[in-house]
């Protein structure tokens, strides 16, 4: 009845009564009734498919430059200052051993390594929470507040006199601030770049490699001249600059439609469960953490291992320099290569990276010549850059652009567990066995296992695409059949109308 009334009112509005013969109105009503009776279902379906949505969003055009280049440099500084300090923890580790422990302590390295492990782990552990704060408050506010918290944590660490308090100030407060500053620096790039996002992401992530190259020499000189506490205070300058550059994160993307305002605040707006519907993402999200149990071990313990094997006068900073240089090269090289690899096959680049990193970790104890250790670090850095630079492109392939923010956030959160657990286990083995040999051998096993597990993702994604293609074809056939029936029904209705007029 409602549809009939609407149809009659519409006809009356469109055609004045004086301009239409009186017999035509019943004919139109009969036509509408016959079409509804014979083909009502298909007509509604057809109209729904052909009528354009009234509130369709206009596609956002990325500027691909302009102020985006300033944002890129700010993000590069964030990446470099956060992970440059974290990757140089091996030198801080040696100073912490002297500052807070004694050689009589049987668990000295185990307890000290928790400082760096907590710091790196908390950066990733907070990532799911940071993604929620970024969605609510925006990239600029989240990054500025995070950098300020990191500054407070690092400054407080410079006044600490016990290792237990250092766990809190450096391992938790400083790391949480770095996490809140780091993730918005990646999200904001999507506001300015789309076609060049791969290149820009490679440049930004190369910031950590550049800082990893330069910071060991600066850090080594500062530790010798001014000591641990003053070195940490000087490093506060990096966080102060990070606060300033975070103000450049001007958002451009239009706000998401607030569907949650209808019917109250929905929890699905905070936790996006769509990402877990992808089997490929589930394998990826658990395969990468499985591979990372030994990933951070060389960054924490390699400096101490070199000092024990080759003597305290060995130029151990050159190893971090090698890792930093080749990591930068790897991010540029494999970032460009990934642009030419279609679909989920990008995962194979990460598989190769994990396999080589695992083998190189096992090679560290076998290097009794310092030159061999340099070669190992060169290869580790190269494929470390490969692993990092293609994380975002793989996430886009597996879950799509809409869900990629929380997909990366949850992945980084899961990565926090192996980041925290790996180095303390290696330190425990060193304290019990007297050398790092077994620790590095075991550190190479998880990357190999994780790389093998990731090989399933391209097969799963190819199977899903074939399934979706079949379902799409069947839907198209159903729609075409409905349209054919609809056209026949219209012809029958016209014939009946003609018969009634005659």
């Amino acid at each position: 009845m409602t549809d009939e009334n609407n149809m009659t009112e519409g006809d009356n509005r469109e055609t004045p009564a004086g301009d239409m013969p009186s017999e035509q109105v019943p004919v139109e009503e009969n036509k509408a009734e016959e079409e509804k009776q014979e083909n009502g279902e298909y007509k509604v379906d057809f109209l729904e498919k052909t009528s354009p949505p009234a509130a369709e969003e206009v596609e956002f055009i990325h500027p691909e430059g302009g102020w985006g280049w300033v944002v890129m440099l700010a993000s590069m500084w964030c990446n470099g200052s956060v992970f440059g300090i974290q990757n140089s923890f091996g030198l801080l580790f040696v100073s912490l051993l002297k500052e807070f422990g004694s050689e009589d302590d049987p668990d000295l390295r185990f307890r000290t390594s928790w400082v760096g492990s907590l710091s790196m782990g908390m950066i990733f552990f907070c990532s799911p929470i940071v993604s929620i704060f970024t969605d609510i408050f925006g990239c600029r506010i989240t990054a500025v507040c995070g950098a300020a918290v990191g500054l407070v944590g690092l400054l407080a660490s410079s006044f600490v006199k016990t290792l237990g308090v250092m766990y809190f100030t450096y391992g938790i407060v400083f790391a949480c601030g770095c996490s809140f500053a780091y993730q918005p620096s990646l999200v904001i790039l999507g506001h300015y770049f789309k076609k060049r996002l791969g290149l820009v992401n490679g440049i930004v992530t190369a910031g950590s490699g550049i800082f990893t190259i330069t910071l060991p020499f600066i850090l080594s000189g500062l530790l010798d001249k001014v000591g641990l506490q003053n070195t940490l205070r000087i490093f506060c300058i990096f966080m102060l600059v990070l606060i300033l550059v975070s103000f450049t994160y001007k958002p451009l993307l239009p706000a998401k439609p607030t569907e949650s305002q209808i019917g109250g605040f929905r929890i699905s707006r905070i936790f996006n469960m769509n990402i877990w519907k992808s089997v490929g993402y589930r394998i990826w999200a658990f395969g990468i953490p499985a591979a990372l149990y030994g990933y951070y071990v060389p960054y924490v313990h390699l400096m101490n291992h070199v000092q024990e094997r080759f003597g305290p006068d060995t130029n151990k900073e050159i190893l971090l320099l090698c890792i930093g240089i080749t990591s930068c090269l790897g991010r540029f090289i494999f970032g460009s290569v990934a642009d030419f690899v279609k679909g989920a096959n990008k995962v194979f680049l990460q598989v190769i990276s994990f396999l080589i990193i695992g083998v190189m970790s096992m090679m560290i104890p076998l290097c009794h010549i310092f030159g061999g250790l340099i070669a190992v670090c060169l290869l580790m850095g190269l494929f470390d850059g490969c692993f990092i630079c293609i994380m975002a492109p793989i996430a886009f392939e597996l879950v799509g652009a809409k869900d990629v923010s929380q997909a990366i956030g949850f992945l980084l959160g899961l990565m926090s567990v192996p980041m925290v657990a790996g180095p303390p286990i290696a330190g425990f083995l060193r304290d019990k066995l007297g050398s790092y040999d077994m620790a590095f051998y075991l550190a190479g096993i998880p990357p190999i296992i994780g790389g093998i597990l990731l090989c399933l993702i391209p097969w799963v994604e190819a199977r899903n695409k074939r399934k979706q293609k079949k379902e799409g074809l069947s839907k198209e056939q159903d729609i075409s059949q409905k349209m054919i029936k609809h056209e026949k029904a219209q012809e029958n209705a016209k014939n009946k109308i003609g018969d009634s007029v005659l």
Side-chain angles (χ1 to χ4, degrees):
M1 293 297 294
T2 303
D3 293 336
E4 292 176 6
N5 294 335
N6 292 338
M7 180 70 74
T8 305
E9 292 174 2
D11 293 338
N12 291 336
R13 284 195 303 269
E14 291 174 3
T15 308
D19 296 339
M20 179 184 288
S22 60
E23 294 84 6
Q24 188 171 352
V25 174
V27 170
E28 294 295 335
E29 292 179 355
N30 292 334
K31 178 181 177 182
E33 291 177 359
E34 289 175 1
E35 287 182 2
K36 288 175 183 176
Q37 291 174 356
E38 296 182 14
N39 196 39
E41 179 183 356
Y42 300 117
K43 185 174 183 180
V44 172
D45 193 25
F46 179 75
L47 289 174
E48 288 178 354
K49 294 180 181 299
T50 56
S51 60
E56 185 176 1
E57 294 183 2
V58 180
E59 183 180 359
F60 175 76
I61 300 176
H62 297 74
E64 301 294 341
W67 185 254
W69 298 119
V70 178
V71 174
M72 182 198 73
L73 293 176
S75 300
M76 187 177 181
W77 177 272
C78 175
N79 217 286
S81 59
V82 170
F83 288 103
I85 295 174
Q86 295 294 333
N87 293 342
S88 302
F89 182 76
L91 294 173
L92 290 176
F93 179 74
V94 177
S95 296
L96 288 172
L97 291 175
K98 299 176 181 178
E99 187 75 22
F100 298 114
S102 62
E103 292 297 332
D104 298 332
D105 188 353
D107 298 325
L108 175 61
R109 291 163 186 81
F110 172 72
R111 294 190 301 107
T112 307
S113 61
W114 271 106
V115 177
S117 295
L118 276 175
S119 182
M120 180 62 80
M122 288 301 297
I123 291 177
F124 295 101
F125 180 77
C126 294
S127 294
I129 303 173
V130 176
S131 64
I132 296 171
F133 273 78
T134 303
D135 291 339
I136 296 175
F137 299 106
C139 295
R140 179 185 290 171
I141 295 176
T142 305
V144 170
C145 294
V149 173
L151 173 62
V152 171
L154 192 59
L155 184 61
S157 299
S158 66
F159 296 97
V160 169
K161 300 297 182 182
T162 61
L163 196 61
V165 181
M166 184 70 78
Y167 293 155
F168 176 73
T169 58
Y170 189 93
I172 296 179
V173 178
F174 170 64
C176 287
C178 289
S179 181
F180 275 78
Y182 165 65
Q183 192 165 331
S185 71
L186 299 181
V187 175
I188 194 64
L189 296 175
H191 290 242
Y192 292 87
F193 300 96
K194 185 176 182 181
K195 295 179 181 179
R196 300 175 177 175
L197 185 59
L199 173 63
V200 170
N201 188 67
I203 295 173
V204 168
T205 55
S208 63
I210 295 173
F211 275 65
T212 303
I213 294 170
T214 56
L215 276 184
F217 297 97
I218 299 174
L219 185 58
S220 180
L222 288 174
L223 289 172
D224 292 338
K225 293 180 180 179
V226 299
L228 177 63
Q229 281 77 16
N230 289 326
T231 299
L232 294 177
R233 290 165 194 160
I234 293 173
F235 270 18
C236 290
I237 299 174
F238 289 87
M239 305 308 297
L240 181 61
V241 175
L242 182 55
I243 294 175
L244 299 177
V245 300
S246 297
F247 282 103
T248 64
Y249 297 166
K250 180 182 178 181
L252 293 183
L253 284 176
K256 297 179 181 178
T258 56
E259 298 175 356
S260 59
Q261 293 178 356
I262 303 173
F265 190 78
R266 274 195 256 165
I267 197 169
S268 60
R269 182 172 171 82
I270 299 178
F271 299 104
N272 187 354
M273 294 293 107
N274 290 332
I275 59 177
W276 301 105
K277 295 179 181 179
S278 170
V279 179
Y281 176 76
R282 292 202 298 266
I283 297 174
W284 191 56
F286 291 100
I288 287 184
L292 293 181
Y293 275 94
Y295 175 83
Y296 194 47
V297 170
Y299 286 99
V300 175
H301 295 287
L302 182 59
M303 297 296 99
N304 203 38
H305 168 73
V306 172
Q307 186 171 304
E308 291 179 356
R309 174 161 293 187
F310 298 100
D313 297 331
T314 306
N315 189 12
K316 52 186 179 295
E317 294 83 6
I318 195 68
L319 299 178
L320 289 178
L321 176 65
C322 294
I323 293 176
I325 291 175
T326 52
S327 181
C328 288
L329 292 175
R331 294 174 199 208
F332 286 115
I333 294 171
F334 290 102
S336 301
V337 171
D339 292 336
F340 299 98
V341 180
K342 296 181 179 180
N345 291 329
K346 293 181 177 68
V347 174
F348 285 127
L349 293 175
Q350 282 192 331
V351 171
I352 295 172
S353 300
F354 282 135
L355 294 177
I356 293 179
I357 288 174
V359 172
M360 292 300 103
S361 296
M362 294 180 173
M363 291 292 294
I364 291 175
L366 301 177
C367 294
H368 296 281
I369 301 175
F370 192 72
L373 205 55
I374 290 176
V376 167
C377 290
L378 289 172
L379 281 174
M380 287 185 67
L382 183 67
F383 288 95
D384 165 78
C386 174
F387 156 66
I388 291 174
C389 73
I390 61 174
M391 284 183 63
I394 291 175
F396 274 99
E397 294 289 346
L398 295 179
V399 302
K402 291 183 179 180
D403 303 324
V404 73
S405 176
Q406 291 206 20
I408 295 176
F410 277 105
L411 173 67
L412 296 177
L414 292 171
M415 287 167 57
S416 65
V417 177
M419 287 290 190
V420 172
I425 293 173
F428 175 79
L429 292 173
R430 161 61 183 83
D431 290 333
K432 298 301 178 184
L433 300 178
S435 71
Y436 281 106
D437 291 356
M438 183 58 64
F440 285 116
Y441 288 139
L442 295 177
I445 296 176
I448 295 174
I449 295 176
I452 294 172
L453 183 62
L454 294 181
C455 291
L456 298 173
I457 296 176
W459 175 76
V460 169
E461 289 297 307
R463 187 190 63 178
N464 289 340
K465 286 184 178 180
R466 289 194 297 267
K467 184 178 179 181
Q468 292 174 0
K469 189 176 181 180
K470 290 180 181 179
E471 291 177 353
L473 290 174
S474 63
K475 287 181 180 179
E476 289 179 1
Q477 292 175 355
D478 292 340
I479 292 172
S480 61
Q481 290 176 0
K482 289 180 180 180
M483 293 181 66
I484 292 172
K485 290 181 180 180
H486 172 67
E487 292 174 357
K488 288 182 179 179
Q490 283 184 330
E491 292 178 0
N492 293 334
K494 289 180 182 179
N495 292 333
K496 290 182 180 180
I497 293 171
D499 293 341
S500 64
V501 172
L502 290 173

